[in-house]
Amino acid sequence: MAETTIKLAVASNFAAPVKAIVASYPHTTDNIRVSLGSSGKFYAQIRQGAPFDIFLSADTDKPEKLVAEGFAIESSRFTYGIGKLVLWSGNPRLLQTTPPDWQQLQFDKIAIANPRTAPYGLAAQHYLQQQYPEILTSRQRVTGENIAQAFAYVRSGNAQLGFVALSQVLTLAEQNKGSWWIIPETYYAPILQDAVLLTEAQHNAAALQFYQYLQSAEVAAMIRAFGYDTPEGN
């Protein structure tokens, strides 16, 4: 009997778009299982034999390494989205001036994803090194395991500010969006997010079909609607 379960490992910043993509998928399948987490953790799990079919990373580095190490198919790798980093507060009055005047901002805690495992955390670190380096060693900084945890710190009020993905803010109800500033891309390297088909899935017809759908113009339009850019031609 052909395998019809599709197992996705998805960077946590892409939680809302992947949910919409799965819901819009026009073909029937017994089950699409979505696991969300940090790209670094997924990279380690895949190398240790985790049974995923498709990896949607928050960077290009980890899919590239998986290809080089024989865990993913080289010809399958493509950039599905280009992320945008924002400084966000749940308080609609906190970020009244942009760019922010760091000397005037009143906050106790600022959240950032772990720069060692989360590309959005690395991008935030690059921005802070240029604009507000003292926060990197300050007790005001709280570090989330991934961008979802950084977002949760701000949304819960445990941090008054945080560096998160624009797509996360856009999914909130209008009354919960607070205030935010899109960090100019001159402060960090482009957050190119690559997908790759894992070697173990090359004979999984259901996974192959879903992977083709991920590369469609329809999905690219959905991704842009969630606050990402997509490469030219999609």
Side-chain angles (χ1 to χ4, degrees), residues 29-97:
T29 183
D30 289 351
N31 199 6
I32 299 178
R33 299 176 184 173
V34 177
S35 297
L36 299 168
S38 75
S39 298
K41 289 291 182 66
F42 281 134
Y43 167 71
Q45 291 171 5
I46 291 166
R47 293 183 77 249
Q48 293 166 6
F52 294 116
D53 299 309
I54 296 168
F55 177 35
L56 281 78
S57 182
D59 65 2
T60 62
D61 180 60
K62 294 169 187 68
E64 185 177 10
K65 286 181 178 179
L66 290 172
V67 166
E69 294 162 348
F71 293 97
I73 299 170
E74 182 174 11
S75 61
S76 72
R77 188 160 66 94
F78 77 101
T79 299
Y80 65 89
I82 304 169
K84 296 180 182 181
L85 180 72
V86 300
L87 178 65
W88 174 55
S89 174
N91 182 345
R93 295 178 297 278
L94 187 57
L95 291 173
Q96 292 187 336
T97 61

Side-chain angles (χ1 to χ4, degrees), residues 138-157:
S138 169
R139 291 184 178 180
Q140 288 179 290
R141 170 183 168 174
V142 292
T143 303
E145 179 179 310
N146 52 49
I147 197 71
Q149 193 171 76
F151 179 77
Y153 282 142
V154 183
R155 192 172 187 186
S156 67

